[in-house]
Amino acid sequence: MAPVPLSPVNVGHIDDVQELRKAKPTKIPERFVRDETERPSLSTTSLSSAYETIPVVDLSKLVKGSQDEFQTEISKLAVSCEEWGFFQVVNHGIDLDLLGSIEKVGKEFFMLPLEEKQKYPMAPGTVQGYGQAFVFSEDQKLDWCNMFALGVEPHFIRVPKLWPTKPHKFSETVEEYSREVRRLCQKLLGFIAMSLGLNKDTFEEMFGVAVQAVRMNYYPPCPRPDLVLGLSPHSDGSALTVLQQGKGSSVGLQILKDNTWVPVQPHPNALVINIGDTMEVLTNGRYQSVEHRAVTDKEKDRLSIVTFYAPSYDIELGPIPQLVYGDLPCKYKRYSHGEYSKHYVTNKLQGKKTLEFAKINQTQNSS
Ligand SMILES: O=C(O)CCC(=O)C(=O)O
Ligand SMILES: [Fe+2]
């Protein structure tokens, strides 16, 4: 969430999705209706939950398991990162009451009257505050989602006037939650480094004071879930993302695996972790970010609370030398996360297109 200069972007009128729903339109407004190829049609969605479920990693076995348990779990972590780019983590060490509290204040925020939420507006072309991010033109399709996002760490990325005073305890819960999630990211990065045969501190040492942002996505029920998307397909610009799904909400997150959209079944008390574009670059493509999207439900609403964790904006990074070897060419260039973040937040969500920014043209590279 790099601070982006305000540019005069003409995004046209963006309907607030909760207000739209209250008005009960007989037809979904055209700006939300996806072209046929983009609709969440059943043909491209896996229905077989039996074997198509993302792996579950037990963090307690990595932190304090026996040597055998550690080995089994670290191999599972490696397979999860390499083959799925996604996993769910259980026994993650974050107090379940805190997960309940952030969900509660998040929901309460979205239930506030529109005028109250609009005290924290997301200006066109920016990504913090209440509104819809990643909208850059009048003819761009809109997601069936209201968002509220905050830069959290380091402090200079915070925009204090966007931190809500209502609901009571919102801001202090975000603080406490973010502290715990930061610790979790640090632990996970240590084990991810080990799963690659690297020193445990590799990422923490490279990252400097890591950038952390939180985004809450609220998806109201939609009368025509077959026509709209809750969130457009994208990969995250982060190194790691931690996603919490509201308890009892509909299944909304889908990930693209072998050209099929696989739904992520919420696992009780687990957090969903995914590899972001930055990790793909640092591992020279060994752990790749994976395209994902959110779909909506006819009856149920859904809240997701998403934390993005990334290196400091000003440190130049590139593929880790130990992961560029043999005849494996270096596939990505060096740049700072600030540069990437600026590129990411000034483009619409479009699958993995944003990562083209980082790729080295292989023909050029080998000549
Ligand atoms: O709501 C979800 O499950 C997906 C959210 C997401 O991918 C994001 O905020 O980057
Ligand atoms: Fe995402």
Side-chain angles (χ1 to χ4, degrees), residues 263-287:
V264 175
Q265 303 289 339
H267 188 291
N269 305 328
L271 293 166
V272 177
I273 310 294
N274 66 282
I275 298 290
D277 295 342
T278 301
M279 183 60 75
E280 172 167 337
V281 171
L282 298 179
T283 62
N284 198 29
R286 174 113 159 246
Y287 289 175

Side-chain angles (χ1 to χ4, degrees), residues 86 134 145 147 215-219 230-232 234-237 241 243-245 252-254 264 272 274 292-295 302-308 344 349:
F86 264 86
F134 309 107
C145 174
M147 293 176 170
R215 183 164 69 223
M216 298 180 177
N217 305 303
Y218 179 71
Y219 309 95
L231 189 59
S232 304
H234 66 282
S235 56
D236 297 340
T241 301
L243 184 145
Q244 180 180 336
Q245 317 205 55
L253 174 62
Q254 299 183 337
V264 175
V272 177
N274 66 282
H292 53 285
R293 68 180 186 184
V295 297
R302 179 167 177 270
L303 173 72
S304 63
I305 302 156
V306 189
T307 299
F308 304 100
Y344 190 94
L349 298 178

Side-chain angles (χ1 to χ4, degrees), residues 20 36 44 58 71 94 96 98 150 184 263 319 334 341 365:
L20 197 59
E36 260 170 60
T44 54
D58 184 341
Q71 281 311 332
I94 302 184
L96 299 180
L98 183 56
L150 293 172
L184 174 64
R334 292 179 66 78
S341 189
N365 188 41

